[in-house]
């Protein structure tokens, strides 16, 4: 596997809000720096977790520019309602010195067309030919990139070096069987928090992009480290990784639902990060029942983790 930015563990950053429900870029950069200092290898901005559909093109690019200027390794999401804007985000990422691209499929218009998706992907990759890029596979975007299309694109655009796979266990296995096992220079990123162990152990993933890792960075970094050890055949690490992943299961499962940003911002507030209290849409809120459930599960995990860590004798 070639050395590239798509290794290790990286949070998909959420966008903090000011009291006026505008992006708080100072807080965004501070959180990115904090997570890198804890041990994350890079950050991703602006994917679904960053609320890309709710920000303007200029707002997203300001966030990217601020992160890069602060020396934070940054992967840029290219999700957009049309190819022109996606290309703008890719070109801007290259111009300001970002480290990579997360190439999101065409949405809303001809999203199920392989020909349309090929043209969309090609335009983005061509706009930043020197930036390593991964295609983001997600059922929420309505298109699954398969091996034939991937390698057709890669032959023309060598900066396409891999996948971020959000489709779950079966899709991770498909990517491993049919794409990454064909070419050692193609990387696989686990893109859903519930599949970290499977991704590393069974699918030869090289990294993980995390949502819950914003709120529990040390615990998720430990899960990734144990999964890497397990992938080398370490039986104890495999057992520990499974135990930790199981305990995280409910919190990680928020990553799979449409309210993921609402849940993870609330967990950040429970951590004391008050800048995550508000959302860009005033009506985007958890119900009282959802908040109570999340708080109970968060408390349960924290108590379990304290006891479990002591039993394992982790440093």
């Amino acid at each position: 596997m070639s050395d590239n930015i798509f290794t290790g563990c990286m949070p998909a950053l959420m966008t903090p809000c000011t009291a006026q429900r505008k992006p708080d870029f100072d807080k965004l950069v501070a959180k990115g720096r904090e997570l890198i200092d804890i041990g994350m290898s890079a950050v991703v901005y602006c994917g679904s977790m960053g609320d890309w559909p709710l920000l303007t093109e200029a707002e997203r690019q300001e966030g990217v520019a601020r992160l890069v200027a602060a020396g934070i390794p940054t992967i840029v999401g290219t999700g957009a309602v049309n190819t022109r804007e996606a290309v703008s985000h890719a070109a801007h990422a290259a111009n300001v010195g970002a480290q990579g691209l997360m190439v999101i499929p065409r949405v809303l218009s001809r999203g199920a067309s392989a020909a349309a998706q090929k043209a969309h992907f090609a335009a983005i990759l061509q706009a930043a030919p020197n930036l390593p890029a991964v295609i983001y596979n997600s059922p929420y975007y309505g298109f699954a990139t398969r091996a034939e299309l991937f390698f057709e694109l890669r032959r023309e655009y060598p900066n396409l070096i891999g996948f971020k796979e959000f489709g779950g266990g079966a899709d991770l296995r498909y990517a491993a069987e049919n794409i990454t096992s064909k070419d050692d220079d193609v990387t696989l990123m686990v893109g859903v928090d519930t599949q970290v162990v499977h991704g590393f152990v069974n699918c030869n993933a090289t990294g993980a992009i995390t949502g819950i890792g914003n709120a529990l960075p040390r615990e998720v970094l430990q899960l990734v480290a144990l999964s890497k050890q397990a992938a080398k055949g370490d039986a104890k690490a495999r057992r520990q990784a499974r135990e930790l992943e199981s305990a995280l299961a409910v919190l990680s499962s928020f990553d799979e639902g449409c309210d993921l940003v609402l849940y993870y911002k609330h967990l950040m507030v429970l951590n004391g990060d008050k800048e995550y209290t508000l959302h860009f849409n005033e009506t985007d809120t958890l119900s009282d029942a959802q908040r109570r459930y999340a708080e109970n599960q968060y408390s349960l995990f924290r108590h379990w983790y304290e006891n479990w860590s002591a039993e394992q004798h982790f440093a």
Side-chain angles (χ1 to χ4, degrees), residues 274-294:
K274 301 302 183 184
E275 63 271 22
Y276 292 97
T277 301
L278 297 180
H279 298 278
F280 293 107
N281 289 335
E282 188 173 354
T283 55
D284 286 344
T285 60
L286 295 173
S287 68
D288 290 341
Q290 286 177 310
R291 280 194 298 273
R292 185 175 182 183
Y293 181 69

Side-chain angles (χ1 to χ4, degrees), residues 2 4 6 101-104 117-118 121-122 124-126 128-137 145-164 179 183 185-187:
S2 62
N4 64 69
F6 294 102
L101 296 178
M102 189 169 68
V103 182
I104 295 172
Q117 293 291 359
K118 180 183 176 183
F121 291 146
I124 296 168
L125 294 166
Q126 187 174 1
N130 295 319
L131 280 186
V134 297
I135 285 176
Y136 180 178
N137 269 330
T145 303
R146 289 307 189 224
E148 181 179 356
L149 176 56
F150 178 85
F151 284 109
E152 190 174 345
L153 287 163
R154 181 164 159 78
R155 281 192 291 272
E156 190 169 352
Y157 305 101
N159 56 319
L160 175 59
I161 64 168
F163 269 70
K164 177 204 171 185
I179 298 175
D183 184 342
D185 289 328
V186 175
T187 191

Side-chain angles (χ1 to χ4, degrees), residues 179-260:
I179 298 175
T180 56
S181 293
K182 181 177 179 178
D183 184 342
D184 288 341
D185 289 328
V186 175
T187 191
L188 178 62
M189 298 292 291
V190 180
V192 58
D193 282 318
T194 57
Q195 298 293 328
V196 172
V197 178
H198 173 60
F200 280 96
V201 174
N202 301 318
C203 303
N204 197 33
T206 62
I209 298 175
T210 177
I212 186 59
N214 285 275
L216 294 167
R218 293 175 178 84
E219 293 84 350
V220 171
L221 283 166
Q222 186 174 41
L223 176 61
V224 169
L226 288 169
S227 297
K228 287 181 176 180
Q229 290 175 246
K232 297 177 181 178
D234 186 324
K236 180 180 179 181
R238 187 166 182 158
R239 173 182 59 78
Q240 292 172 326
R242 287 294 187 194
E243 289 175 356
L244 180 52
E245 186 173 66
S246 177
L248 275 167
V250 170
L251 301 177
S252 295
S253 73
F254 294 150
D255 193 30
E256 300 175 331
C258 63
D259 289 334
L260 75 168

Side-chain angles (χ1 to χ4, degrees), residues 7-24:
T7 58
C9 185
M10 53 190 74
L13 292 182
M14 294 177 286
T15 307
C17 285
T18 66
Q20 293 73 39
R21 298 184 189 273
K22 296 294 184 181
D24 189 332

